[in-house]
């Protein structure tokens, strides 16, 4: 299954939801959820990359913290909206359309990369590929910050889940229905904090892991060249 293509079609069809729109107050609760932890890691002047940025709510938040922020996403519609918001705000944020399997950035381009709860949309191979790329893209001592849920906690007691779970790949069958447009494939993967930490730690040093909510974890990795 071409996961990136399916995700791209879904987000282009759904457009910009109020909870992902940086110009809509309904998105602020998500920004606040991450910002109280991010502000301890983002330093003024840092070159920061928002991976899977959608319409840029976290990208703009990092700029507000003093970072030189860039967002990348595979879906064109949210990226176009982010660029419009940037013009309205006179923001210096940059937004790129691209695939996290092949990040279009040179060595030492960033000091920090953020992956905010997008991990369910990537395969195990994609996460490791992205981490290998980040080892080059991030500066020496650069940070890779992951916010994620743990599926073991989320799926506790959900016996029906096993009927659509592929134990060999971690792929979960799924779809999302958009009003007036119908169902779209929404392939997601079964992730645990322990396995994500294991894959990323093969290439970057684990600096910190913390459970910040009942089922929200913060993982911080460090690039040593």
């Amino acid at each position: 299954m071409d996961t990136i293509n399916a995700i791209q079609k879904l987000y282009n069809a759904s457009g910009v939801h109020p909870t992902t729109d940086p110009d809509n107050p309904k998105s602020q609760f998500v920004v606040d959820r991450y910002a109280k932890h991010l502000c301890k890691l983002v330093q003024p002047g840092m070159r920061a990359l928002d991976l899977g940025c959608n319409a840029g709510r976290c990208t703009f938040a990092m700029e507000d913290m003093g970072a030189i922020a860039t967002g990348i996403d595979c879906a064109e519609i949210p990226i176009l909206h982010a660029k419009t918001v940037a013009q309205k705000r006179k923001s210096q944020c940059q937004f790129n359309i691209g695939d996290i399997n092949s990040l279009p950035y040179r060595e030492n381009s960033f000091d920090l990369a953020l992956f905010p709860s997008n991990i369910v949309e990537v395969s195990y191979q994609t996460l490791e590929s992205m981490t290998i790329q980040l080892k080059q893209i991030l500066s020496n001592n650069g940070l890779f910050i992951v916010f994620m849920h743990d599926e073991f906690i989320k799926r506790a007691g959900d016996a029906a889940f096993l009927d659509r779970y592929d134990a060999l790949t971690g792929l979960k069958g799924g779809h999302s229905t958009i009003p007036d447009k119908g169902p779209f494939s929404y392939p997601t993967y079964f992730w645990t904090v322990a396995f994500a930490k294991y894959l990323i730690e093969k290439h970057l040093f684990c600096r910190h892991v913390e459970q910040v909510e009942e089922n929200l974890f913060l993982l911080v990795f460090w690039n040593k060249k």
Side-chain angles (χ1 to χ4, degrees):
M1 176 181 293
D2 187 344
T3 304
I4 294 294
N5 185 254
I7 296 294
Q8 181 185 42
K9 287 181 178 178
L10 172 66
Y11 285 120
N12 277 332
S14 59
V16 180
H17 191 271
T19 59
T20 64
D21 184 354
D23 263 0
N24 193 311
K26 291 183 178 180
S27 72
Q28 191 59 42
F29 81 97
V30 179
V31 173
D32 292 342
R33 190 181 194 190
Y34 299 133
K36 59 186 176 182
H37 307 290
L38 266 180
C39 66
K40 302 171 186 176
L41 299 164
V42 175
Q43 302 296 321
M46 261 187 172
R47 300 164 299 163
L49 176 63
D50 184 2
L51 295 155
C53 67
N54 199 269
R57 60 189 176 185
C58 289
T59 321
F60 291 116
M62 289 194 291
E63 182 180 53
D64 290 341
M65 296 173 197
I68 302 166
T70 299
I72 185 169
D73 199 278
C74 66
E76 296 89 347
I77 299 301
I79 287 289
L80 289 173
H81 184 77
K83 290 181 176 181
T84 299
V85 174
Q87 288 180 337
K88 286 169 58 178
R89 294 187 179 190
K90 295 183 170 51
S91 164
Q92 297 303 307
C93 286
Q94 298 295 310
F95 292 98
N96 307 133
I97 298 168
D99 182 346
I100 57 176
N101 287 292
S102 183
L103 292 168
Y105 304 113
R106 295 176 296 189
E107 187 173 355
N108 299 322
S109 292
F110 298 99
D111 307 304
L112 180 151
L114 171 67
F115 201 37
S117 297
N118 301 339
I119 196 169
V120 297
E121 297 177 347
V122 303
S123 68
Y124 304 150
Q125 295 89 344
T126 295
L127 180 69
E128 185 163 10
S129 169
M130 185 175 71
T131 304
I132 291 169
Q133 293 176 76
L134 288 175
K135 188 165 183 63
Q136 299 302 314
I137 291 167
L138 287 172
S139 60
N140 187 38
N141 297 323
L143 300 178
F144 179 33
I145 301 168
V146 179
F147 285 96
M148 67 176 291
H149 304 288
D150 190 295
E151 286 286 334
F152 272 131
I153 297 173
K154 183 177 179 181
R155 299 293 175 181
D158 184 2
F161 168 71
L162 294 176
D163 293 335
R164 56 186 181 83
Y165 170 59
D166 185 341
L168 294 180
T169 64
L171 182 65
K172 301 179 292 178
H175 69 275
S176 180
T177 299
I178 300 172
D180 301 322
K181 295 184 180 179
F184 284 78
S185 173
Y186 183 48
T188 58
Y189 292 82
F190 188 96
W191 280 102
T192 65
V193 170
F195 190 55
K197 179 176 177 291
Y198 164 74
L199 283 182
I200 298 170
E201 207 171 10
K202 289 167 69 175
H203 308 285
L204 303 172
F205 291 91
C206 184
R207 180 170 133 176
H208 180 69
V209 176
E210 179 183 358
Q211 186 171 2
V212 295
E213 293 179 13
E214 181 180 357
N215 190 14
L216 181 66
F217 293 82
L218 167 64
L219 291 70
V220 182
F221 299 89
W222 192 22
N223 191 29
K224 291 293 291 180
K225 294 189 175 181

